[in-house]
Amino acid sequence: QEQLMESGGGSVQAGGSLRLACAVSGFVASSYCMAWFRQVPGKEREGVALRYSGSSISQYADSVKGRFTISRDNTKNIVYLEMGSLQPEDTATYYCAARRTWACGDDWYSGGVYNHWGQGTQVTVST
């Protein structure tokens, strides 16, 4: 059974850091386009970061570029999101998502193109 399970969320003060993890089971993460999204109540889900399948190529939303880093541990089948210089506007539920396509970059920020989702992990950044 294909599953994604996020962990690592929590509460942190502005300027702090967190590392989120997405444990993948039922498929090989490196063969899929793996992405992180976030959502706050009343707003659309926002694509945050993308890791291309079979590659170290990554893409980021402008809002997190230079502060967040997506990585993948192929031995553990886990995808990470390292978040630094966190700000209150980063407060959201963060989701891991996956899809299998050769065109990882196409519409990567659109949640509708992903087939697999985790349950989410809450990140709260206070001033």
Side-chain angles (χ1 to χ4, degrees):
Q1 187 178 359
E2 297 157 340
Q3 276 192 316
L4 304 174
M5 183 162 294
E6 303 94 337
S7 62
S11 297
V12 64
Q13 287 194 321
S17 302
L18 280 175
R19 186 178 76 162
L20 306 183
C22 172
V24 177
S25 58
F27 64 95
V28 178
S30 60
S31 297
Y32 281 65
C33 313
M34 300 297 301
W36 285 94
F37 283 74
R38 65 186 181 187
Q39 189 171 27
V40 296
K43 290 192 176 181
E44 284 193 9
R45 201 165 288 192
E46 175 192 15
V48 173
L50 166 73
R51 185 76 164 198
Y52 281 57
S53 58
S55 168
S56 60
I57 298 173
S58 303
Q59 286 186 238
Y60 298 92
D62 287 343
S63 57
V64 306
K65 207 171 287 185
R67 300 188 298 123
F68 290 13
T69 302
I70 188 171
S71 62
R72 185 180 59 229
D73 186 328
N74 293 338
T75 62
K76 296 181 179 178
N77 215 27
I78 295 177
V79 178
Y80 297 101
L81 184 68
E82 299 268 3
M83 306 186 296
S85 301
L86 284 163
Q87 300 301 316
E89 52 265 35
D90 295 315
T91 295
T93 301
Y94 284 71
Y95 298 89
C96 181
R99 66 167 174 159
R100 190 160 191 176
T101 176
W102 291 112
C104 284
D106 289 0
D107 296 325
W108 75 266
Y109 44 82
S110 174
V113 304
Y114 292 86
N115 312 108
H116 307 288
W117 290 90
Q119 83 290 347
T121 186
Q122 178 67 35
V123 172
T124 302
V125 184
S126 59
T127 55

